[in-house]
Amino acid sequence: MRSEVSVDIQPSHIDQIKQTNIGLVYRLIDQYEPISRIALSKRAQLAPASITKITRELIDAHLVKETEFPELGFRGRPAIGLKIDSEGWQFLCIRINKGSLVIGLRDLSSNLVAEDEQLFSVSQNESFLDSFADKIDNFFLRHQSHLERLTAISITINAIVDPINGVIHSSPDYNVKDIPLGAFLHQRTGLPIFLQHGITAWTIAESLYGAGKHCQNLIHLVIDDHVGAGIMTAGQILHAGNHSVVEIGHIQIDPDGEPCYCGNIGCLETVVGLKPILEKARELAKSRPDSFINTIINETGTDNIESLTIDSLCLAAINGDALASEIIHGIGEKIGRIMAIIVNIFNPERILIGSPLNKAQHILYPAIQQQIAQRSLPGYSQQVDIVAAQFDNSGTLPAAASIKQALYSGELLLELMQG
């Protein structure tokens, strides 16, 4: 079925269809380059005349270029194909961590040009915005020899955000409220600004390049300092026009538990986040003198939480320590009960796990799978695979994935074509 525009469609609909078609053509060129116009027309299910018009516009904007390539089985002159023209186009990717910023400069094909990490410590909204802008300026000064045409800025943060309006509502790491980061940076730079929750951006990266590639329906579960999930259904990120991350970390599972930064009590994140896991392990180890966890703690000669890490807890479980195995199995059961509900709702093909606990996945995954099997429909639970995410959430690749998604949707392409 061809996506052609009929004469009775309103102008706003025409603009939307144009954006969708341009994004589709760009995505197919990016995925199958070099690709001929005939092959592109078949894959896009657009008329050859539409393909000619769209590709001419992309070539004129220096976003796509022609290239010769030999066609298999044919002799004579090489065929003319199309490929992405990323030369000269760059965008800035920023990840906001607790106490630091990771800033990366990438080209339009997401290749890394330069990246570094800077300390970032602020106490209120005004200093947050000013300090953030200063860090960007410092990055440009250090890497000005690599700078070409900057097209957009993409930012990720593990916080409660409004990605449409570019607002950080609240953060577990910074004492700030309702920061209009997108509007501030757009006014300062004139560039399109993309703000996204770190987990959602990571989910997009996994779907484009990683363990979720070619999956139309997937759940990406993150168990880290923060607990959350990104969900893709029919190839689209869930709630893309809203907060977009599925806040399973803020489901109350212990009414008498610890306060959470979201304002509630006993959220899942306060139980299975990495810090509470380690705190529980240290506490339980006091009544289990035979546990290897005590050996890890005693070897450091200190009595603080840093003496035990998730890596050492997983290592203890791998080596057969009963307490470490029980703790990780218990985490899997708690997560699995929540995941069973999500599986019943979304019927995913695959569940990706992004967590340092993946080192003990032989204990964690079966515990999650068992709860899903017991609590969700057999037809749903039997077809879902649980696999480790391909990437971690430490660098700027997730922010780059948000840019790639904006190109594929046509949203950013139209802005670049209009100059």
Side-chain angles (χ1 to χ4, degrees), residues 271-293:
V271 177
V272 302
L274 298 191
K275 185 176 179 180
I277 290 172
L278 295 176
E279 290 173 346
K280 180 178 180 179
R282 287 181 58 84
E283 188 63 32
L284 291 176
K286 293 176 182 178
S287 60
R288 300 280 286 272
D290 59 328
S291 173
F292 184 65
I293 292 174

Side-chain angles (χ1 to χ4, degrees), residues 334-350:
K334 290 181 176 67
I335 289 288
R337 294 185 193 115
I338 303 297
M339 294 304 294
I341 298 171
I342 299 178
V343 166
N344 262 352
I345 296 171
F346 294 105
N347 188 18
E349 305 160 48
R350 185 170 295 171

Side-chain angles (χ1 to χ4, degrees), residues 397-411:
L397 183 62
S402 292
I403 294 288
K404 183 71 77 171
Q405 185 188 51
L407 290 168
Y408 286 176
S409 73
E411 175 188 358

Side-chain angles (χ1 to χ4, degrees), residues 11-127:
S12 60
H13 294 166
I14 293 174
D15 291 343
Q16 182 60 51
I17 290 174
K18 178 181 179 181
Q19 175 182 313
T20 300
N21 287 346
I22 286 175
L24 171 63
V25 169
Y26 184 89
R27 175 174 63 82
L28 291 172
I29 294 172
D30 194 22
Q31 292 176 341
Y32 297 102
E33 65 178 28
I35 182 172
S36 69
R37 288 175 174 80
I38 294 174
L40 190 57
S41 175
K42 291 178 180 177
R43 288 191 177 275
Q45 294 189 316
L46 292 171
S50 297
I51 292 294
T52 298
K53 182 176 185 298
I54 291 171
T55 55
R56 182 168 57 245
E57 291 175 345
L58 290 170
I59 290 171
D60 289 345
H62 302 287
L63 290 161
V64 165
K65 61 184 178 182
E66 292 183 328
T67 183
E68 292 185 349
F69 70 101
E71 283 196 292
L72 210 58
F74 291 90
R75 295 182 180 180
R77 295 181 60 184
I80 300 297
L82 300 165
K83 63 183 295 185
I84 298 301
D85 186 359
S86 60
E87 186 176 351
W89 298 94
Q90 295 176 333
F91 56 90
L92 202 64
C93 297
I94 305 173
R95 174 177 170 80
I96 304 175
N97 291 323
K98 182 178 182 179
S100 71
L101 299 179
V102 182
I103 305 179
L105 184 68
R106 293 176 180 267
D107 67 21
L108 218 54
S109 294
S110 297
N111 299 315
L112 189 62
V113 178
E115 184 176 271
D116 62 29
E117 185 168 5
Q118 302 182 43
L119 295 178
F120 184 62
S121 179
V122 294
S123 58
Q124 54 188 346
N125 283 22
E126 291 77 12
S127 62

